[in-house]
Amino acid sequence: MEKLQKHMNINFMSFVKLASTALPMLTKSNGSIVVVSSGAGLMGGPALATYCASKHALGGFFESLRHEIVWKKINVSITYFMPGTIATEHGVSVARDTLKADESVISNLASQVDTALALVKSAAARQKTAYYPWHHVRPGEIIHTASRDLFDWLVSSMMNPWMDKIPTQKSKAD
């Protein structure tokens, strides 16, 4: 439960508190809220239960808030930004050390600068939803939405064998 609480505090409650505090000022200035989530906020995966739960909560809250803002005719935009794995120190470390990914996978991680630029552009355009890089996140969401059975089969046949090679990453329900 401690791991779940930590993820909920960092990935969900911090965004909710910040947006709730800023909303009156943003309403006066016709401002924008940018929510940085993850593909894990759209679909689950092995060894990610608590992280996915926090990101799903984030998506549900801000989608509902966006509808409420529209209903109340408040001119504040909410951009829900979903990046793929970014080539940060942490992202590279997880790919290399935890997932044992080879250099071809690591070199394909999204650049920090390009990701930040995509986030700023999507917020400036007041987009509701943005994916970057699109091909890292959107195809999985489309498959997940179209057929949960197909998505489950893909996870079972592709991700689970890969995860089986990493015994320390097996997750207990937190």
Side-chain angles (χ1 to χ4, degrees), residues 21-36:
T21 301
L23 193 56
M25 292 172 278
L26 293 171
T27 299
K28 290 177 185 174
S29 66
N30 298 324
S32 299
I33 297 170
V34 180
V35 180
V36 180

Side-chain angles (χ1 to χ4, degrees), residues 28-135:
K28 290 177 185 174
S29 66
N30 298 324
S32 299
I33 297 170
V34 180
V35 180
V36 180
S37 186
S38 164
L42 303 168
M43 54 211 141
L48 295 170
T50 60
Y51 180 75
C52 289
S54 67
K55 293 298 188 174
H56 275 78
L58 190 65
F61 178 85
F62 280 98
E63 181 177 14
S64 297
L65 182 61
R66 183 173 48 236
H67 289 300
E68 186 174 329
I69 285 170
V70 169
W71 169 60
K72 291 182 176 181
K73 296 178 179 34
I74 297 170
N75 190 20
V76 171
S77 70
I78 297 176
T79 299
Y80 191 67
F81 187 78
M82 289 163 283
T85 305
I86 304 167
T88 60
E89 186 177 317
H90 176 71
V92 171
S93 172
V94 168
R96 180 177 289 129
D97 303 334
T98 306
L99 301 177
K100 308 299 182 204
D102 62 28
E103 289 303 315
S104 67
V105 171
I106 293 166
S107 66
N108 201 20
L109 300 179
S111 124
Q112 296 175 47
V113 171
D114 291 345
T115 303
L117 183 59
L119 184 145
V120 170
K121 285 181 176 181
S122 62
R126 296 174 78 95
Q127 283 179 244
K128 291 179 184 174
T129 307
Y131 310 85
Y132 188 82
W134 188 90
H135 66 278

